[in-house]
Amino acid sequence: SDRFCTGCGHQLATVAVDSSAGGLEEMPFRFSGRAAEYFKIWIVNLALTIVTLGIYSAWAKVRNKRYFYRNTTVAGSAFDYHALPIQILKGRLLVVGAWILYSVCASFFPMFSVLLLVLFYLCVPWLVVRAYVFNARNSSWRNIRFNFNSKSIGEAAKIYILFPLLAPLTLGFIGPYITFLSWRFVIDNNRLGRQPFKINLSTGRYYSAFFIAFGI
């Protein structure tokens, strides 16, 4: 996850694992980073990204992730991030290239630009899965790499294409259910080595939060 506490040594959450006694043992996530320490990384990343017209942003992302990962521990062991900046840069250059192609088509071939939008929308599930696969396979804990189920494109299509189309018909009340499905999709398809994860939350918890926020 990219969501971390910014306080020093704060417990973030717990993970339950099988203990040698056959039961479940809860182990807390802890974060030991400091705001002043991270500020130095952030300000340098920002300056170099501006100077290089965004090219350095790939290196900035890797520096950020490695800082947060290496300062987050479970059972005394930190996480690590292994992606190379050049890999991220290539992906971003492809996105920029696609955006330029769409902009040109929108100016000179409007009908073709609509076709490109439809194709992009249909490719969203594949893009989402590939992004999660890339992030998982470049993350590790105790030298064990994470992984993500690359065959979950069909499930992603339901969550990111089918269900959002139902939002207008439900006046937006399907939103919490889509949020629940997206979290379940991410967690249940992740692996640490061969060990799968499992989310233990009901849809009702999401709707409770939704109606409280809606009432406010």
Side-chain angles (χ1 to χ4, degrees):
S1 174
D2 287 332
R3 301 179 180 184
F4 295 93
C5 174
T6 56
C8 175
H10 287 182
Q11 177 177 323
L12 302 177
T14 58
V15 59
V17 297
D18 290 328
S19 66
S20 57
L24 291 177
E25 177 186 357
E26 287 193 352
M27 297 188 298
F29 287 78
R30 297 190 182 278
F31 181 68
S32 58
R34 299 179 181 275
E37 188 177 48
Y38 175 65
F39 177 79
K40 297 176 183 178
I41 296 174
W42 173 80
I43 197 67
V44 171
N45 284 345
L46 178 63
L48 291 177
T49 298
I50 293 173
V51 169
T52 61
L53 302 178
I55 293 177
Y56 187 79
S57 63
W59 280 260
K61 180 175 182 178
V62 171
R63 287 191 67 195
N64 281 339
K65 279 187 169 289
R66 285 178 179 171
Y67 177 79
F68 283 114
Y69 276 41
R70 291 171 181 178
N71 281 283
T72 303
T73 59
V74 173
S77 297
F79 295 85
D80 205 353
Y81 188 68
H82 307 275
L84 300 176
I86 195 67
Q87 294 174 293
I88 297 173
L89 180 62
K90 289 178 180 178
R92 291 183 174 178
L93 289 176
L94 285 175
V95 172
V96 171
W99 179 80
I100 293 174
L101 176 62
Y102 171 76
S103 298
V104 171
C105 290
S107 299
F108 299 101
F109 311 102
M111 293 303 298
F112 187 65
S113 67
V114 173
L115 177 61
L116 286 179
L117 275 179
V118 173
L119 289 175
F120 173 76
Y121 187 66
L122 294 176
C123 288
V124 164
W126 181 82
L127 293 171
V128 168
V129 170
R130 293 312 305 171
Y132 282 126
V133 168
F134 178 83
N135 189 68
R137 292 179 179 175
N138 284 287
S139 305
S140 69
W141 180 71
R142 290 185 173 177
N143 293 321
I144 302 173
R145 293 290 182 111
F146 288 83
N147 204 348
F148 192 86
N149 179 16
S150 60
K151 299 180 180 179
S152 57
I153 297 175
E155 184 181 355
K158 295 178 183 178
I159 298 170
Y160 298 102
I161 292 182
L162 178 60
F163 287 109
L165 294 176
L166 301 177
L169 301 178
T170 62
L171 300 178
F173 284 96
I174 197 174
Y177 182 62
I178 295 175
T179 303
F180 166 75
L181 289 179
S182 62
W183 275 106
R184 188 178 68 180
F185 169 75
V186 173
I187 294 173
D188 287 1
N189 283 292
N190 258 294
R191 306 283 186 271
L192 177 59
R194 296 182 179 180
Q195 183 64 38
F197 291 88
K198 189 70 177 176
I199 190 171
N200 186 26
L201 279 177
S202 65
T203 313
R205 296 282 294 276
Y206 287 82
Y207 273 96
S208 297
F210 171 78
F211 282 115
I212 290 172
F214 184 77
I216 294 174

